[in-house]
Amino acid sequence: MAKRLIPTLNRILVEKIVPPSKTTAGILLPESSSKLNSGKVVAVGPGARDRDGNVIPVSFKEGDTVLLPEYGGTQIKLGDKEYHIYRDEDIPGTLHD
C-alpha cells in the first residue's frame, strides 16, 4: 500500500475540510450551513511544460487552504483518508483568514 502520493505535472492533491456537523453545545447543524467547499493542499506536482519545454510552476504550495469547485477532480482513498486530485487551473483561488 502506498504511503504517499506525489501528483504529476500541474496536479494538486487536496484533502477536503469537512465542516463540523454539530456545535460544541451539541446542536446539530443542517448541511446547508457549510458555506464554502474548501480543502488543504497536501502535495503539488512539479508543474506543466510549455511548448518550449520550460516548466510552468503550480500556483499553490503545500499547506494552502483552497476553494474547491463544486464538481470535478478525481477521488482517491489512501489508507483511511480520502483525497481529491485537481488540475491547477481548476482551483478558483486560495482562502486566507
Side-chain angles (χ1 to χ4, degrees), residues 3-45:
K3 295 186 181 197
R4 182 164 181 183
L5 174 68
I6 299 173
T8 58
L9 299 174
N10 63 339
R11 291 179 178 83
I12 300 166
L13 183 66
V14 177
E15 183 176 7
K16 283 193 174 182
I17 297 173
V18 179
S21 60
K22 62 181 175 178
T23 64
T24 55
I27 299 172
L28 294 175
L29 298 171
E31 287 184 27
S32 62
S33 69
S34 60
K35 296 177 179 139
L36 292 174
N37 192 16
S38 61
K40 184 175 181 181
V41 177
V42 177
V44 295

Side-chain angles (χ1 to χ4, degrees), residues 48-78:
R49 295 196 177 268
D50 63 8
R51 291 183 179 166
D52 299 326
N54 301 321
V55 175
I56 303 168
V58 178
S59 305
F60 308 101
K61 61 184 186 304
E62 290 182 24
D64 283 351
T65 303
V66 294
L67 181 64
L68 299 175
E70 188 173 346
Y71 302 105
T74 304
Q75 184 177 354
I76 295 176
K77 199 166 193 178
L78 291 175

